[in-house]
Amino acid sequence: MVAVDTATATELLSRPVSSEDETMRRLAHVLSRSLAAEGISDALIDTLEDVLGDRPGPAPADPSRKLDGLLIRLGLPLPRRPQLLKAAPPLSKEEAARITDRFRRATTPLMHVVPHRAAMYPTDELRRLLALRDERPSPDQALSYLRRYALAIVALLDLMGDDE
């Protein structure tokens, strides 16, 4: 047992006592920031960039390029051509499975962290994330599925905001 003098006892008794609710809110806030720091790795960000970035296909041979050289030499303007959108090459099964697994593993920490970090509870975004986690796309639709999944994760990360 420790003896406490009157001055120390008076100081201890005069300290403000926080309510249990306030203490729990502060603890939840600190824990959510800690979980966010651990749950959103650089590898996840890199994977998001890989999926959402351009996946250019092989450039088709353009026979009009020879004509362009001739027009330039004659001082004539080049004709306007519509930009052709190249179809993205499909992902390999192994790559699609690796990315899907990474997104599914990231879903659980996001489900726990986002409600504490967002200003309003993101019901629709979390429902969309869960639906994507449970979806099993066909191999030919893997890229579009992963892009939708990546966009759902990015939407939640945007709601969370910055740590600073």
Side-chain angles (χ1 to χ4, degrees):
M1 185 166 203
V2 176
V4 178
D5 63 345
T6 307
T8 305
T10 305
E11 189 227 326
L12 289 173
L13 291 173
S14 66
R15 286 185 185 173
V17 178
S18 65
S19 69
E20 188 173 323
D21 290 338
E22 181 183 347
T23 303
M24 295 306 282
R25 276 196 305 268
R26 286 183 183 176
L27 180 61
H29 178 71
V30 169
L31 286 175
S32 70
R33 291 208 181 259
S34 172
L35 286 173
E38 294 173 11
I40 303 165
S41 65
D42 289 337
L44 176 62
I45 301 299
D46 291 341
T47 304
L48 289 170
E49 289 176 358
D50 287 345
V51 170
L52 294 175
D54 291 333
R55 299 178 55 84
D62 189 1
S64 65
R65 295 292 170 202
K66 292 179 183 177
L67 180 60
D68 289 351
L70 179 63
L71 291 172
I72 290 173
R73 279 189 298 225
L74 295 173
L76 299 171
L78 295 175
R80 290 189 179 196
R81 293 186 189 98
Q83 293 291 336
L84 299 175
L85 297 176
K86 299 174 190 120
L91 292 171
S92 68
K93 287 183 181 181
E94 296 80 22
E95 187 178 8
R98 179 186 60 80
I99 294 171
T100 302
D101 182 55
R102 180 168 287 163
F103 285 171
R104 287 185 179 142
R105 280 185 285 129
T107 298
T108 303
L110 283 171
M111 295 295 295
H112 294 291
V113 172
V114 171
H116 299 287
R117 296 277 310 274
M120 292 181 62
Y121 193 84
T123 306
D124 293 335
E125 289 83 358
L126 291 175
R127 187 178 304 131
R128 186 175 304 117
L129 190 68
L130 287 175
L132 287 165
R133 181 192 65 186
D134 296 337
E135 189 176 329
R136 303 290 184 245
S138 63
D140 61 329
Q141 299 201 350
L143 182 59
S144 64
Y145 163 74
L146 290 173
R147 284 186 173 162
R148 286 184 288 127
Y149 206 155
L151 288 172
I153 292 173
V154 168
L156 286 171
L157 293 176
D158 286 343
L159 288 174
M160 287 173 53
D162 293 334
D163 281 343
E164 281 79 56

